[in-house]
Amino acid sequence: MNTIDFQQKLLAWFDVCGRKDLPWQRNITPYRIWLSEIMLQQTQVITVIAYFEAFTKKFPTVDALAHAPVDEVLGLWSGLGYYARARNLHKSAQIIAEQGYFPNTLEALVALPGIGLSTAGAIMSIAFQKRQPILDGNVKRVLTRFNAISGWPGQAEVNKTLWAVSADFTPIDRVADYTQAIMDLGATLCTRSKPQCVRCPVNTACLARLTDTVAVLPTPKVSKKIPVKHVTLLLLHNAAGHVLLEKRPSLGIWGGLWSVPEFSCLQSAHDWCVINNINIVKQHTLTTKRHTFSHYHLDYTPVLMCVDDVDNCVMDTEQNLWCTVEHTRSLGLAAPIKRLLQQHFKQRE
DNA sequence: CATGCGTGGCT
DNA sequence: TAGCCAAGCAT
């Protein structure tokens, strides 16, 4: 099976089984394709849909996005994760608005913050109908299996090979459909676990299937033990029901976002009676949450505390503020903290 | 090249 | 269930 056959079989399958009614597949514009590609980075389709709808409703054009305050952009992004994507999106929108036109070359696209080779390739092929390969997780899975390419795809040598193969397989005609098709194949049939090879349009020539190595491709990265990081998050509220928030440092977890104050250094509950000269009159643990990241688990115990005589407290208004749960929605507040606060105030109602 | 970055789903 | 992964990019 040559590349022409591969393309034809894949496209014929796409015409029948491909996804063609996703929000960003309607009213296709470079802006909408760009936005969808950014949201879809390391994020599944089902998660993105609602965010995409809300985002495009609020910011229908690049100009609208460019002229919005960054906090408003982060607010709409809240819960989607990888918040640098939102900041880069906003920054890029301002650059594009300044230029007066949407960049339509690979070089110009890659020059924008948040756009790498794969995202640029997707925009070029889907929005501009230009022959340009992509190499996302789906394509890596399909190509490593179809060609029985072993070795962890993150490895430079393997990565280089995969880009070359992807470029070789990418057609000139119907390049937008092809790009969508190979991603659909990876997302719906050529999945990591339980791939449905029987339904695959190119299964007769798939080298992994012929050599019975589908289950071990792509080669997984050698994993190492993930350390656990423990922190304590304080949920401080005053008599008016306002919650104390602090703006987190720009580096590290939830960088630049608003969250409840963190006290990871406290050793025992007895230490919590006086914090920032605020008298704590009551405290109890709400729940314990855990999040998994690439290289560590984050264990945090949110602690509910009431404070009295708030008017006499000295607060740093530059880095801290008292705000209501409603306010948190426009602050790009880290999603788990937002949920915690909303749950807390729901119980109070 | 390794690491950091979020959240949710799957096995 | 605890680990792994999902439409990557920046540093």
Side-chain angles (χ1 to χ4, degrees):
Chain A
M1 185 183 286
N2 59 31
T3 57
I4 305 284
D5 296 329
F6 182 89
Q7 294 155 7
Q8 286 179 349
K9 291 211 161 96
L10 184 59
L11 283 165
W13 170 81
F14 175 74
D15 287 336
V16 180
C17 305
R19 298 174 294 186
K20 301 177 208 67
D21 204 32
L22 295 168
W24 44 92
Q25 294 176 319
R26 301 191 287 267
N27 181 22
I28 292 181
T29 66
Y31 168 62
R32 288 167 60 86
I33 295 300
W34 169 47
L35 174 62
S36 72
E37 289 300 328
I38 299 299
M39 285 187 166
L40 287 161
Q41 286 170 5
Q42 302 288 285
T43 311
Q44 296 189 331
V45 169
I46 188 68
T47 307
V48 166
I49 291 176
Y51 281 88
F52 182 86
E53 300 279 28
F55 205 94
T56 51
K57 190 173 181 183
K58 185 80 179 179
F59 308 122
T61 63
V62 176
D63 269 1
L65 175 57
H67 293 110
V70 67
D71 277 348
E72 200 173 327
V73 180
L74 282 169
L76 278 173
W77 207 271
S78 188
L80 198 53
Y82 284 142
Y83 298 94
R85 294 185 297 177
R87 291 189 288 269
N88 285 333
L89 193 76
H90 186 241
K91 208 179 301 174
S92 291
Q94 294 181 329
I95 295 171
I96 295 169
E98 183 78 16
Q99 288 179 171
Y101 65 94
F102 204 100
N104 61 352
T105 66
L106 192 73
E107 296 71 27
L109 286 169
V110 170
L112 292 171
I115 299 184
L117 265 186
S118 195
T119 299
I123 296 172
M124 286 300 287
S125 60
I126 297 173
F128 293 116
Q129 306 282 328
K130 300 291 184 192
R131 181 175 188 264
Q132 200 66 240
I134 65 166
L135 191 59
D136 63 358
N138 288 314
V139 177
K140 283 176 187 170
R141 202 160 49 249
V142 171
L143 294 182
T144 52
R145 284 175 175 168
F146 187 79
N147 299 289
I149 298 169
S150 59
W152 177 53
Q155 201 174 357
E157 186 77 7
V158 182
N159 189 252
K160 190 179 165 188
T161 301
L162 288 173
W163 269 110
V165 172
S166 180
D168 187 39
F169 277 44
T170 304
I172 297 173
D173 294 334
R174 294 192 66 184
V175 67
D177 283 347
Y178 171 85
T179 298
Q180 188 62 52
I182 195 165
M183 284 192 288
D184 280 4
L185 185 66
T188 63
L189 296 186
C190 197
T191 49
R192 182 176 63 91
S193 58
K194 297 182 184 172
Q196 302 182 58
C197 299
V198 178
R199 298 188 183 180
C200 177
V202 292
N203 58 9
T204 58
C206 177
L207 282 182
R209 188 159 186 257
L210 294 173
T211 59
D212 196 25
T213 53
V214 174
V216 297
L217 291 174
T219 308
K221 175 184 168 145
V222 286
S223 61
K224 67 176 192 182
K225 207 176 166 186
I226 297 176
V228 178
K229 182 180 172 184
H230 296 274
V231 301
T232 299
L233 299 176
L234 305 181
L235 180 52
L236 303 175
H237 67 88
N238 60 23
H242 292 182
V243 179
L244 179 66
L245 299 178
E246 66 173 6
K247 189 163 191 176
R248 301 181 60 91
S250 55
L251 292 179
I253 182 72
W254 302 325
L257 303 185
W258 293 90
S259 79
V260 296
E262 176 182 327
F263 265 83
S264 54
C265 55
L266 297 182
Q267 296 301 311
S268 74
H270 302 294
D271 295 331
W272 297 340
C273 52
V274 177
I275 296 169
N276 285 352
N277 295 322
I278 300 172
N279 293 317
I280 306 301
V281 296
K282 182 183 175 185
Q283 66 180 41
H284 67 267
T285 300
L286 287 179
T287 176
T288 298
K289 302 277 184 181
R290 201 176 97 167
H291 283 265
T292 307
F293 299 92
S294 319
H295 302 285
Y296 61 88
H297 294 303
L298 180 64
D299 259 325
Y300 61 90
T301 307
V303 177
L304 169 65
M305 298 182 182
C306 302
V307 298
D308 65 354
D309 203 11
V310 167
D311 291 339
N312 291 327
C313 297
V314 178
M315 299 305 305
D316 175 4
T317 53
E318 289 297 311
Q319 283 297 309
N320 302 286
L321 81 163
W322 294 91
C323 83
T324 64
V325 174
E326 283 65 38
H327 288 140
T328 67
R329 297 197 181 103
S330 62
L331 288 173
L333 191 64
I337 309 304
K338 183 170 74 172
R339 279 195 298 275
L340 182 73
L341 295 179
Q342 287 170 340
Q343 181 188 342
H344 167 60
F345 279 91
K346 199 170 181 179
Q347 287 171 356
R348 285 167 55 97
E349 282 172 3

